[in-house]
Amino acid sequence: MSASGLAAHLSPAELGQRYRAARSPVERSHLQIVWLLSRGLSEREVARVTGYGRRGDGEVARRYEAGGPAGLG
């Protein structure tokens, strides 16, 4: 696991690139959540930025942990 607690399937830079390039709104939101978490933001901070609740952010993070980028969107 990385320092943020997420498995390092992709680096924060790679997640940021994918987030900015995503065309699907759902995929874009999920990538934003994982990108922010990978940069060390807390679940509370990510929820404030994204508008998702902490529970939703946690679910997205779990899906990323289990399936990597393919588990999102």
Side-chain angles (χ1 to χ4, degrees):
M1 280 198 186
S2 69
S4 67
L6 285 175
H9 294 289
L10 297 172
S11 72
E14 291 169 314
L15 286 166
Q17 289 172 341
R18 287 187 183 207
Y19 157 63
R20 287 185 287 281
R23 298 292 174 235
S24 160
V26 173
E27 179 184 20
R28 185 174 173 87
S29 293
H30 288 184
L31 284 165
Q32 181 186 28
I33 290 166
V34 175
W35 174 56
L36 293 171
L37 289 170
S38 75
R39 293 180 58 217
L41 274 72
S42 70
E43 287 183 7
R44 177 172 277 131
E45 292 169 316
V46 173
R48 194 173 321 138
V49 169
T50 63
Y52 278 65
R54 287 174 60 196
R55 184 177 300 161
D57 290 346
E59 178 60 31
V60 170
R62 282 188 290 283
R63 289 174 55 190
Y64 179 74
E65 286 285 326
L72 302 175

